[in-house]
Amino acid sequence: MPVPAVPPAPSTAPPAASSPVSSTVPSGTSAGAKGEPKSLSGLRPFLRPYMVQIGMAALFLVLAAVTTLVFPLALRSLIDGGLVSTDKGAQTMALRDHFLELFGVAVALGLFSALRFYTVSWLGERVTADLRNAVYAHVLRQSPVFFESTQTGEVLSRLTADTTLVQTVVGSSLSMGLRNAVMGIGALAMLVWTNPYVMTQVLLILVLVVLPSMWFGRRVRKLSRASQDRVADSSAIAAEVLNAIPVVQSYTAEKREAERFDASTNAAFNTAIRRTKARSVLVAFIIIATSAALLWGLYQGTQAVLHGEITAGHLGQTVVYVIILASAAAVLGEVYGDLLRAAGATERLMELLHAVPAIVSPVRPVAAPVPPSGSAVSFDAVTFHYPSRPGTPALRDFSLSVAPGETVALVGSSGAGKSTVFQLLLRYYDPQSGQLLLDGVPLADLSLDHLRHRIGLVPQDAVIFSTSAFENIRYGRPEASADEVHAAARAAFAHDFLTALPEGYETFLGERGVRLSGGQRQRIAIARAMLKNPPLLLLDEATSALDAESERMVQAALETAMAGRTTIVIAHRLATVQKADRIIVLDHGAIVEQGTHAALVAQGGIYARLAALQFTA
């Protein structure tokens, strides 16, 4: 089922200092409108594709409500027509007919209610799935700026807990609310029609019930949003700690982390209890006030029977309509609370869905041909500050040209700007000044897909997904055949250890590849990049965390991967870059030295000192 189209977000990025989530509320949503029922209007694009199903649900809903409203009329006929007759034979026949009518009403009510339940439940499941898919896909397109200020656990909480609240409303509460609204209005109309004088008094009393209910509703609305935020805080803590469980256990911090999570869940509990108290008061007030008003009307009805103004059947009909109206008011009070919670959840989801990516593809991208022998890279007077560190330049007036097929190594101390070069080449960020070109085309003129398709990345910490070895390698090119996957594994010196696994290439590698060694994970990452076959290869400290034997294997795999393509290498271990065509030495975001290994050692500068320290050791 395709995900419904969502209105595109504006193309301008949010201010660097603000949070992407908190600063991207859709236009027209004021701060004072947070968590209001009208926030549910954000679901409109997800409901629009299913107008036929919505129409069917509405039809069954109305039919079920009308059938319920017919029941008191049949009851009145039973009392006045079947119990009043003095002829016993005629009375028996009349009772049989009236009971058959009541049973027919019950059958119709059961069928229409079942059809309504199925249709509405289908809508709730489908809309929630579409909403979850749309939010997740949109988050995947966010640049690293977004994740600098948004915790992964917060996003996961919105994708799970908040979408579950939306599902509850769309698939259940909203239907119950509409059904009881129809029945309540119908019952009220019948009561006014049959007892106009008495019900006019009741209506005036009901109007007075609405005003305090609105005040309670605002209180519940604020607490609902706060409760969801506290639950998200707990999810963020759990996601962070579980992803770092070896470090937590190595520092014997299990108790501290459990206490931190306990404090967070207690804060969520206390907020939820305050919300529940406010909602309980709201529900109790609505039920008591509404029941008092309706009982007053019922009392007036009994007086009318005693005075002979209406029949017993008329009174029975009135009693049932009063019960329907009272129960409808009680259900609507519950549904209103659910709507307030879902409104807060929808608002949080819409904030994610309307978060503006800091980096977007151009409207009319340039279709540059892929070079056969490696890409040309050019940095022209690039200056860049990370949004989280606007006062410290990561690169300063940085200029560098890399020829097709050339291997260039970037070295320097931590924070010199090496990784920033990769971040800008992948266009995770845009520089504040200067220009980057790939094969003579500015990066900003290429679509993000086309740009990143031309680049292969082997990170320092190889990323292994929770699937088979075969699928991990084919992640580089999903349409690749089995022979191509095996060829890439052989080129990366991964074939032998993969075939030795219990199920060979189909062996499940576990979360983050926990069943493999560091060198094995790195060789799978290299095979993935080789299968992609990009003209530009970026190697980020690919051997820094390996033992000597694994390093030799990975280094051999890297040399195979580098053949015939442009390669930029980041390395702290200078032994891995001695064969580079050119070594670039960075210091505080600027190039201070460049040349071959031998030439730089002869200069006696920064590189020579680093080399002396490493090679002497």
Side-chain angles (χ1 to χ4, degrees), residues 82 90 101 185 232 249 312 318 363 384 466 495 507-508 520 575 581 614:
E101 291 175 0
I185 293 172
Q249 292 179 348
T318 301
V363 178
F384 172 70
S466 299
H495 179 74
T507 301
F508 177 71
Q520 290 172 335
D581 298 320
Q614 291 194 21

Side-chain angles (χ1 to χ4, degrees), residues 25-334:
V25 180
S27 59
T29 305
S30 64
K34 285 188 176 295
E36 293 185 356
K38 67 180 181 182
S39 298
L40 293 169
S41 62
L43 298 176
R44 196 172 297 146
F46 298 92
L47 293 169
R48 195 172 295 124
Y50 307 112
M51 296 308 296
V52 173
Q53 290 85 349
I54 292 174
M56 293 174 60
L59 174 63
F60 296 139
L61 183 148
V62 171
L63 289 175
V66 170
T67 305
T68 303
L69 293 173
V70 168
F71 187 84
L73 296 176
L75 181 64
R76 177 179 179 177
S77 298
L78 170 66
I79 295 173
D80 288 343
L83 297 179
V84 177
S85 176
T86 56
D87 186 345
K88 295 299 181 183
Q91 188 180 49
T92 301
M93 294 298 295
L95 284 173
R96 186 186 65 181
D97 292 341
H98 287 304
F99 274 111
L100 286 175
E101 291 175 0
L102 286 171
F103 180 71
V105 172
V107 170
L109 177 60
L111 290 175
F112 293 143
S113 297
L115 291 170
R116 174 195 61 83
F117 175 79
Y118 173 80
T119 308
V120 170
S121 297
W122 186 94
L123 274 171
E125 296 287 350
R126 183 67 264 167
V127 168
T128 303
D130 289 347
L131 177 60
R132 188 177 288 127
N133 291 340
V135 173
Y136 182 68
H138 188 70
V139 169
L140 290 181
R141 291 192 292 269
Q142 297 298 317
S143 69
V145 175
F146 176 87
F147 296 99
E148 283 184 9
S149 53
T150 305
Q151 291 180 299
T152 303
E154 167 75 14
V155 176
L156 293 177
S157 175
R158 298 192 187 197
L159 282 172
T160 53
D162 289 354
T163 51
T164 300
L165 283 175
V166 172
Q167 178 183 349
T168 300
V169 168
V170 176
S172 175
S173 297
L174 189 60
S175 168
M176 289 176 57
L178 292 174
R179 177 172 176 268
N180 280 276
V182 172
M183 290 196 306
I185 293 172
L188 188 60
M190 292 298 295
L191 287 169
V192 171
W193 179 50
T194 54
N195 301 279
Y197 175 71
V198 173
M199 289 312 300
T200 300
Q201 301 176 46
V202 172
L203 282 176
L204 292 175
I205 299 173
L206 290 177
V207 170
L208 299 178
V209 175
V210 173
L211 298 178
S213 299
M214 293 176 63
W215 183 85
F216 280 121
R218 281 198 296 270
R219 173 69 174 165
V220 173
R221 182 169 62 243
K222 293 176 183 177
L223 290 172
S224 295
R225 173 65 190 248
S227 176
Q228 288 151 219
D229 288 339
R230 299 294 75 74
V231 171
D233 292 342
S234 299
S235 299
I237 292 173
E240 179 183 39
V241 172
L242 292 177
N243 282 329
I245 197 66
V247 176
V248 172
Q249 292 179 348
S250 70
Y251 282 90
T252 62
E254 297 94 332
K255 183 178 179 181
R256 294 202 308 270
E257 293 298 347
E259 290 172 350
R260 187 160 71 105
F261 185 78
D262 183 72
S264 178
T265 53
N266 278 336
F269 170 77
N270 291 331
T271 306
I273 290 301
R274 289 199 301 272
R275 182 203 72 221
T276 304
K277 285 180 180 177
R279 185 173 172 182
S280 300
V281 172
L282 173 63
V283 171
F285 175 78
I286 291 175
I287 292 175
I288 294 171
T290 304
S291 298
L294 296 177
L295 286 172
W296 166 254
L298 185 58
Y299 171 76
Q300 296 292 330
T302 57
Q303 296 301 308
V305 172
L306 294 177
H307 290 89
E309 297 173 2
I310 60 174
T311 65
H314 190 165
L315 176 61
Q317 171 187 297
T318 301
V319 170
V320 176
Y321 278 132
V322 166
I323 293 173
I324 292 174
L325 183 55
S327 61
V331 171
L332 287 173
E334 288 282 343

